Amino acid sequence: MQRALTLQQTTIGKKVIMALSGVIIVGFTLGHFLGNLNLYLGPEAMDGYAEKLQSLPPLVWGTRLVLLFAFGAHISSALSLWVRNRQARGSRYEKRKDLATDYAARTMYWSGPILLLFVVYHLLHFTILPAHPGEVYRNVVEGFQNPLIASVYIAGNLALGFHIFHGIFSAFQTLGANHPRYNSYRRDAAIAISAAITIGNLSFPLSVLTGIVTL
Amino acid sequence: MSEELLNLTLHVWRQDGPNDSGRFETHKANDITTHMSFLEMLDVVNEELIENGKLPIAFDHDCREGICGTCGMVINGVAHGPQKLTTTCQLHMRQFNDGDEIWLEPWRASGFPVLKDLVVDRTAFDRIIQAGGYISIRTGSASEANEMPIAKEIADQAMDAAECIGCGACVAACPNASASLFTAAKISHLSLLPQGQAERQDRSRKMVAQMDAEGFGGCTNHGECEEACPKGVSLRWIARMNRELVRSMVKADAPIENRKR
Ligand code: HEM
Ligand code: SF4
Ligand code: FES
């Protein structure tokens, strides 16, 4: 225990924790998206899938516990590094030009908190206070038929896309995976995974709004 | 090359000492030839300031040939100025155009307090080296060069990391004022070579602990340091430092001591 504690006291250790917890959350997000593809198979498939999951409490609660832990670790490390990194600059540059930072990297401390708000809203909307308990398909379709709710999901998932694009790339580097022969694949992997999850997730509210998926 | 003379406007950070809050001052640099180096241009401005009974602009320099790592300032928002892989002393005025406005600022980092104008105190780097950037060997006459076989690829990698001249541009360019690239370069070149193995177990823990204790920020993998580095030191050494640290932390018998500035 002593050893693990000392690693997390260093700036590098905190980043390692962010990377590992981020990878756990991304893994869940990918599985979550794949499960939601049941929406395209109709109400029986969607509600049946949900019922199946609910009939396995150890799986559901195990996942929730791990995710809660991962979010806690991720956010607390982010906050502690944020405070530290701001203090490290001291005075501000009058002129400052970024040479390498892309949009996703620059906005991590915006996309992250936006994601947190979105996740809280999302849990309240579908998990904690669903309109029709047990009728998952109906909740989703009725929800997304409201353009306001649909736009919250669209905005939230755009933030997700940017966050995990830089996050996945960053996690490779933080965890020490950097080799000139394979480095281009790190970016490719980040693009592929973040694009798959984001475009997939965006398709749900968009297909309801356009009437492709109906009640 | 044309014999064009440049007339420039400089906005220079002036700060009387570590406790002064500092301000920008505007100076003209007239009739500057394009063959001058950036520091020679500042020499001209300073001579005029001295002639007019004013204090010259303080800036650090020593070798003026890009090897000592003493010089360095943020020029128009870029550490060491607009030319890639080039220290401030090796930057030439042909990189600028007549009529340009140039903003000059010191490296800004809590770990590098400003001493005066554009001069910062970089002894934090010395303390990071003292913490673990050394090897213990019996000194004496030089040993035979091929006594210890080292694979060419490893020797090349160690040389790439060892190119770091300790200028601090990586800290200046980093959005978090992190000293990761410098520390990683030093940890890496020693950990690659057989001579560096004796202290390898503890080196990364000690140097990272000192880096943190100096008040530098953490790495967010933006890559600004690599772009600013006049020696092209690669981000791959930061990944290597992280591997070294985790490996050392997992294997070590005792936790690291907390270090003081
Ligand atoms: C909920 C609030 C969240 C906050 C405040 C937050 C904040 C951050 C910050 C500040 C970073 C480091 C950025 C950098 O290195 O420049 C980061 C990295 C990361 N985030 Fe998040 N994040 C949040 C949620 C999420 C979510 C929902 C996911 C995935 C679906 C995620 C995945 C990642 C990954 C994989 C990394 C990479 C770790 C690394 O830098 O090595 N984060 N996050
Ligand atoms: S890594 Fe590059 S920028 Fe940083 S101190 Fe060394 S030479 Fe300067
Ligand atoms: S003065 Fe030595 S590197 Fe510039």
Side-chain angles (χ1 to χ4, degrees), chain B residues 38-91:
Chain B
F38 199 83
L39 297 187
E40 284 166 341
M41 180 275 290
L42 285 180
D43 291 338
V44 169
V45 173
N46 273 346
E47 270 179 37
E48 202 176 298
L49 284 175
I50 293 167
E51 269 170 29
N52 293 331
K54 295 189 184 138
L55 279 177
I57 301 160
F59 60 88
D60 239 345
H61 61 103
D62 189 12
C63 71
R64 296 208 179 192
E65 54 184 3
I67 56 173
C68 73
T70 310
C71 66
M73 56 191 80
V74 174
I75 303 169
N76 285 340
V78 179
H80 284 307
Q83 193 175 9
K84 269 195 76 105
L85 299 173
T86 307
T87 54
T88 303
C89 61
Q90 291 279 287
L91 178 68

Side-chain angles (χ1 to χ4, degrees), chain A residues 107-188:
Chain A
T107 53
M108 285 304 268
Y109 281 91
W110 287 103
S111 55
I114 290 173
L115 271 179
L116 179 61
L117 290 178
F118 170 69
V119 169
V120 170
Y121 171 78
H122 173 55
L123 289 179
L124 286 172
H125 181 207
F126 284 139
T127 310
I128 300 169
L129 301 167
H132 314 285
E135 296 179 70
V136 177
Y137 184 86
R138 185 174 166 198
N139 288 335
V140 172
V141 176
E142 278 185 3
F144 288 166
Q145 278 172 344
N146 179 338
L148 207 66
I149 294 179
S151 21
V152 170
Y153 276 84
I154 290 169
N157 277 289
L158 286 175
L160 174 73
F162 285 112
H163 196 83
I164 64 176
F165 166 66
H166 178 71
I168 293 167
F169 164 80
S170 193
F172 278 114
Q173 171 74 12
T174 301
L175 297 176
N178 182 320
H179 189 288
R181 262 176 68 199
Y182 307 108
N183 275 354
S184 65
Y185 299 124
R186 303 190 305 178
R187 218 184 142 74
D188 294 348

Side-chain angles (χ1 to χ4, degrees), chain A residues 15 18-19 22-23 25-26 29 71 74-75 78 108-109 112-113 115-116 160 163-164 166-167 170-171 174, chain B residues 220 222:
Chain A
K15 277 296 288 207
M18 293 198 68
V23 166
I25 302 169
V26 168
T29 312
F71 268 99
H74 195 84
I75 295 169
M108 285 304 268
Y109 281 91
L115 271 179
L116 179 61
L160 174 73
H163 196 83
I164 64 176
H166 178 71
S170 193
T174 301
Chain B
T220 47
H222 287 204

Side-chain angles (χ1 to χ4, degrees), chain A residues 72-92:
Chain A
H74 195 84
I75 295 169
S76 59
S77 302
L79 285 179
S80 121
L81 285 172
W82 181 67
V83 170
R84 190 190 168 87
N85 292 348
R86 283 175 57 100
Q87 288 168 347
R89 171 96 301 139
S91 55
R92 287 181 79 86

Side-chain angles (χ1 to χ4, degrees), chain B residues 146-167:
Chain B
N146 292 322
E147 192 173 88
M148 227 180 255
I150 301 169
K152 167 91 168 94
E153 196 166 319
I154 299 296
D156 284 350
Q157 288 180 18
M159 278 304 289
D160 285 350
E163 271 202 65
C164 168
I165 55 175
C167 65

